[in-house]
Amino acid sequence: MKNILGLDLGTNSIGWALVDKENNKILGMGSRIIPMSQDILGEFGKGNSVSQTAERTAYRSVRRLHERHLLRRERLHRVLNVLGFLPQHYSHQIDFEKRLGKFKEDYEPKLAYKEIWDETKNKKCFEFIFKKSFEEMLLDFRVKQPSILENNNKVPYDWTIYYLRKKAITQKIEKEELAWIIFNFNQKRGYYQLREEVEEEKPNKLIELHTLKVVDVKADELPKGKKDIWYSFVLENGWIYRRSSKTPLFDWKDKIKDFIVTTDLNDDGTIKTDKEGKEKRNFRAPGEDDWTLLKKKTESEIDKSSKTVGAFIYDALLKNPKQKINGRLVRTIERKFYRDELKQILVKQTEFHPELKNEDLYNACVRELYKNNEAHAFLLSKRDFIHLFTEDIIFYQRPLKSQKSSISNCTFEYKKYIVNGVDKTEYLKVIPKSHPLYQEFRLWQWIYNLSIYRKDDDKNVTIEFLNSNEDYEKLFDFLNGRKEIEQKPLIKYFIELRGLKGKALNSEVEKYRWNFVEDKKYPANETRTLIISRLAKVEDLPANFLTADVEQHLWHIIYSVTDKIQYEKALKTFAIKYGLDENSFVDNFLKFPPFKSEYGSYSAKAIKKLLPLMRLGKCWCWDNNRYKYT
């Protein structure tokens, strides 16, 4: 009997049928529908694989952020209620007895708007409760932008929040207005960047975002048979941007455009020029991946203005009321800008509101939040409202959970102990690959596994190059100062020891190969090389500064501290301890790329026992009838 299996493979379904050819009979059939939404099917049809797991993770991250925002809001409700800063219409719709700090069911009040009954419209409406401050703001607009109030034009009530944020830094505001500002910071609190997300600066490249006005547009003559026209855009600072287009671009004149400008630099920081003396500079339009440049540009503009974020936005609205704020004027910026502004506001308002200086009220707020956490409540009792709002509620950053349990166990080293009469064995965790001890261990291991072969007869001639402890010492020193090694530089190192140079050297190098993959790079001592390259730029560095203990101490700071602020503090402490130029050292190590979370096969304890069996030559000295590593 001959059976045929037929398959129908589609983009979102699979059909099958098993046929008995001799008897013309269908033995079985069926189909499987792949559940996919239309957008995923479209991407799948284009050949782009879409991970459903990644999509679920993205949605879950959004839910978590929303839940944490609501949790911070509930905590603010409880503290501000104890202080008596919440408007009555708002606090009456919050449950402070059972569901602490949450809105009552079927309620979602707005702090700045009170629900009233409009007799003329015979329906419920919302009334803005901070009209006094709104009228004060309108006085500014009547002076700076009188045209905006002509013909009964309306100014949004929501702009009042920016006016109050600016006013609160220098003058008294009402306690309900301060509560509104605090909730506003809970919504917009900035971006917190970990060290591993900091981009390493590219050498000899200056990448900046510029917003420039196009003052003139010139088009080249269109060559025969060509559809694209090359345009020269003269920018307001004198730069010329060139690009081609099939459609006319003369309407760019007098428009403001964003450009990502990459400038080539010499080693001394000056701008490179071409043969004609023109500066080497490339332009491109910002893309989705360039949000970090947009962030830096916004931060630099705020820094140059010497204003807080709220004052910066309000003054921009006074200058141009049509200015779009979110996504245009202020993009994602560092959290420190919002933290500094809120601290300035709270410090100033503490002078006018005695509640913010009342120790009994403060302790009552701490007890409200931490009824069952006496230890943390005791620590907070030594602080004040400024710390409570900024560091403990609004800008609190949950530390990352330890992933130590996912690290592999060392097969050699373990601890044994007894718990309730039962013997327990706990294996030590393996060492990070970036650890200086592992870097040295891996390098010695690689050296002992190295073999050199002659290509013509494939004979092992390692002994011709590594014949004594001194040869191994020199090879270790050569590799210990490199980040990685390839076959050709290694063979060249060996041949140079014979005194050959020039063409004779290159010709001799081609006669040998190593026993590893020929076109692959192998790691040497990456950690030491990176640290030495940074230390070389530190001013007044003592001679022979980088000892084994110093290297391990510095590695531990770079590897373990993920918070940027704490990392900077740790670098300053390190510089003070070893008598280094604090500013020079911190500047050179502040943007040190974090080491990857990769791990070796053995624990640090096991490697400390293995290394003495691998080291040789000058790595040892005779002391008290035993070998000692120096």
Side-chain angles (χ1 to χ4, degrees):
M1 182 174 68
K2 186 176 181 180
N3 295 335
I4 298 176
L5 175 63
L7 297 175
D8 176 20
L9 305 178
T11 57
N12 63 332
S13 65
I14 299 175
W16 65 274
L18 187 62
V19 180
D20 180 356
K21 187 177 180 181
E22 294 180 356
N23 300 317
N24 294 325
K25 183 179 179 182
I26 298 176
L27 300 178
M29 60 189 300
S31 64
R32 170 68 177 174
I33 307 299
I34 303 172
M36 284 189 183
S37 60
Q38 192 58 43
D39 56 339
I40 296 178
L41 276 175
E43 290 296 321
F44 187 78
K46 297 176 185 177
N48 301 326
S49 60
V50 180
S51 171
Q52 300 247 350
T53 305
E55 186 179 3
R56 290 198 302 272
T57 302
Y59 284 125
R60 184 166 62 249
S61 299
V62 172
R63 291 197 300 272
R64 284 175 176 170
L65 289 175
H66 181 63
E67 288 170 2
R68 290 167 185 166
H69 164 258
L70 294 182
L71 179 60
R72 292 194 303 270
R73 187 179 69 181
E74 292 160 12
R75 301 181 73 208
L76 286 174
H77 284 163
R78 296 165 67 183
V79 171
L80 292 171
N81 181 61
V82 174
L83 283 170
F85 278 27
L86 295 176
Q88 287 189 357
H89 78 276
Y90 188 78
S91 60
H92 287 170
Q93 298 182 51
I94 302 174
D95 189 344
F96 292 107
E97 296 180 359
K98 296 181 179 179
R99 303 168 68 246
L100 300 178
K102 296 180 183 291
F103 289 126
K104 295 178 181 178
E105 292 187 10
D106 301 324
Y107 284 97
E108 188 72 29
K110 297 181 179 181
L111 187 145
Y113 294 88
K114 181 170 63 175
E115 191 178 81
I116 61 171
W117 181 264
D118 192 327
E119 296 290 347
T120 58
K121 298 180 180 179
N122 197 29
K123 65 175 183 179
K124 291 181 179 180
C125 295
F126 289 96
E127 180 184 37
F128 187 66
I129 66 172
F130 303 124
K131 286 188 176 180
K132 180 181 177 182
S133 296
F134 176 72
E135 293 296 333
E136 293 175 2
M137 182 187 71
L138 289 183
L139 294 177
D140 287 345
F141 279 95
R142 286 191 177 96
V143 175
K144 299 289 182 63
Q145 294 289 342
S147 60
I148 195 176
L149 300 174
E150 294 176 354
N151 302 322
N152 294 323
N153 289 334
K154 302 296 183 182
V155 174
Y157 283 128
D158 292 340
W159 287 3
T160 311
I161 188 68
Y162 303 117
Y163 168 75
L164 287 173
R165 282 169 61 174
K166 180 180 179 180
K167 178 183 177 182
I169 297 174
T170 56
Q171 304 175 50
K172 179 183 178 181
I173 60 173
E174 299 300 323
K175 56 185 181 181
E176 292 83 4
E177 293 173 336
L178 179 58
W180 189 28
I181 289 176
I182 292 174
F183 282 117
N184 185 245
F185 278 99
N186 185 43
Q187 290 179 308
K188 277 282 190 181
R189 60 191 200 126
Y191 174 68
Y192 180 76
Q193 190 177 43
L194 294 174
R195 278 189 59 232
E196 54 261 32
E197 297 171 347
V198 177
E199 293 185 354
E200 179 71 3
E201 292 183 350
K202 296 182 179 179
N204 299 334
K205 295 282 186 183
L206 177 62
I207 304 176
E208 298 175 305
L209 185 140
H210 290 273
T211 302
L212 300 169
K213 183 179 180 181
V214 180
V215 297
D216 194 13
V217 180
K218 301 176 183 177
D220 297 346
E221 291 186 8
L222 184 63
K224 293 182 179 180
K226 298 287 185 179
K227 295 183 179 180
D228 290 1
I229 303 175
W230 277 93
Y231 292 89
S232 296
F233 301 94
V234 182
L235 306 178
E236 59 181 313
N237 62 353
W239 291 348
I240 297 178
Y241 167 50
R242 295 266 298 169
R243 66 160 289 181
S244 61
S245 175
K246 294 180 181 179
T247 58
L249 297 177
F250 292 103
D251 60 339
W252 276 35
K253 187 175 180 180
D254 297 328
K255 287 188 176 180
I256 296 176
K257 297 286 184 178
D258 288 333
F259 299 97
I260 303 293
V261 183
T262 304
T263 307
D264 294 340
L265 303 176
N266 295 309
D267 293 336
D268 59 357
T270 58
I271 301 175
K272 284 185 178 181
T273 56
D274 56 18
K275 295 179 180 179
E276 299 176 357
K278 296 180 180 179
E279 296 178 342
K280 289 187 176 182
R281 191 175 283 111
N282 296 320
F283 295 81
R284 62 181 172 87
E288 293 182 0
D289 298 335
D290 296 315
W291 70 272
T292 53
L293 291 173
L294 299 173
K295 180 175 79 73
K296 289 179 181 178
K297 180 178 180 294
T298 307
E299 292 173 350
S300 67
E301 289 176 348
I302 295 174
D303 281 332
K304 288 178 183 178
S305 69
S306 300
K307 301 174 183 176
T308 61
V309 181
F312 177 78
I313 295 173
Y314 180 69
D315 290 343
L317 288 173
L318 279 177
K319 186 177 180 181
N320 179 17
K322 296 182 179 179
Q323 170 71 59
K324 182 182 177 183
I325 299 172
N326 294 330
R328 184 64 188 176
L329 178 64
V330 175
R331 301 175 176 91
T332 302
I333 57 176
E334 283 281 351
R335 185 167 296 173
K336 65 177 182 178
F337 290 91
Y338 293 101
R339 180 190 278 109
D340 292 344
E341 180 182 358
L342 181 57
K343 281 185 177 180
Q344 290 184 47
I345 291 173
L346 291 173
V347 168
K348 191 63 180 178
Q349 295 308 307
T350 301
E351 300 176 7
F352 305 112
H353 298 284
E355 295 91 340
L356 297 176
K357 293 184 284 188
N358 190 309
E359 291 186 7
D360 293 336
L361 271 178
Y362 174 72
N363 290 325
C365 291
V366 172
R367 288 193 299 271
E368 173 67 24
L369 294 179
Y370 299 102
K371 295 177 180 177
N372 301 318
N373 191 344
E374 294 182 1
H376 191 66
F378 175 75
L379 292 175
L380 285 177
S381 65
K382 301 177 181 180
R383 300 285 188 169
D384 54 17
F385 275 111
I386 297 173
H387 177 87
L388 182 67
F389 282 122
T390 57
E391 307 301 332
D392 198 73
I393 301 179
I394 295 179
F395 299 112
Y396 171 75
Q397 184 69 27
R398 179 183 63 85
L400 296 176
K401 293 182 179 179
S402 172
Q403 300 297 320
K404 188 176 179 179
S405 60
S406 63
I407 301 174
S408 300
N409 294 328
C410 176
T411 55
F412 292 154
E413 292 294 338
Y414 53 85
K415 299 176 182 177
K416 284 191 173 182
Y417 52 92
I418 300 174
V419 179
N420 298 327
V422 180
D423 292 340
K424 297 285 185 179
T425 301
E426 180 184 353
Y427 286 88
L428 300 185
K429 296 297 181 180
V430 294
I431 192 172
K433 284 187 177 181
S434 59
H435 195 290
L437 284 176
Y438 181 83
Q439 294 278 305
E440 185 190 357
F441 168 79
R442 182 179 61 185
L443 191 53
W444 281 116
Q445 188 180 44
W446 190 87
I447 290 173
Y448 288 130
N449 290 331
L450 174 67
S451 295
I452 306 297
Y453 288 84
R454 200 161 44 217
K455 289 183 179 179
D456 55 359
D457 57 1
D458 209 31
K459 182 181 178 181
N460 189 331
V461 292
T462 309
I463 196 170
E464 296 180 11
F465 302 99
L466 296 170
N467 191 28
S468 64
N469 283 355
E470 186 179 357
D471 293 335
Y472 279 97
E473 290 173 29
K474 291 179 179 178
L475 178 58
F476 177 80
D477 289 340
F478 171 71
L479 295 174
N480 200 36
R482 298 177 67 100
K483 182 179 179 182
E484 55 193 11
I485 187 64
E486 293 179 271
Q487 175 180 277
K488 190 172 181 179
L490 182 76
I491 302 297
K492 188 176 181 180
Y493 158 78
F494 284 129
I495 302 302
E496 282 179 338
L497 294 177
R498 296 179 174 180
L500 294 180
K501 296 180 180 180
K503 293 182 179 180
L505 172 64
N506 295 330
S507 176
E508 191 70 13
V509 167
E510 296 300 326
K511 296 180 181 179
Y512 300 93
R513 68 172 180 84
W514 64 15
N515 57 320
F516 303 119
V517 180
E518 293 193 25
D519 58 350
K520 182 179 177 181
K521 294 180 180 179
Y522 287 85
N525 196 328
E526 299 169 305
T527 300
R528 183 179 178 82
T529 305
L530 289 171
I531 289 176
I532 288 177
S533 65
R534 299 281 175 149
L535 285 175
K537 301 176 183 179
V538 177
E539 298 175 1
D540 302 325
L541 186 72
N544 302 320
F545 171 73
L546 193 63
T547 63
D549 292 337
V550 171
E551 181 182 356
Q552 189 164 330
H553 185 186
L554 184 53
W555 167 84
H556 191 268
I557 293 173
I558 298 170
Y559 178 80
S560 61
V561 184
T562 58
D563 182 86
K564 289 197 302 181
I565 298 175
Q566 295 301 323
Y567 177 63
E568 186 174 357
K569 289 180 180 178
L571 290 177
K572 289 181 179 179
T573 303
F574 180 90
I576 294 171
K577 178 179 180 180
Y578 292 100
L580 303 179
D581 186 308
E582 185 176 328
N583 294 331
S584 178
F585 178 78
V586 172
D587 289 344
N588 283 289
F589 278 86
L590 193 59
K591 291 189 177 180
F592 195 105
F595 293 115
K596 296 179 181 179
S597 296
E598 298 176 344
Y599 297 87
S601 302
Y602 311 112
S603 65
K605 187 176 181 179
I607 287 179
K608 286 179 181 178
K609 292 181 178 180
L610 290 170
L611 271 176
L613 305 176
M614 305 173 78
R615 293 170 179 150
L616 46 78
K618 68 177 183 181
C619 293
W620 294 87
C621 67
W622 190 259
D623 183 22
N624 298 329
N625 298 322
R626 65 184 179 87
Y627 282 114
K628 179 182 179 183
Y629 177 61
T630 56

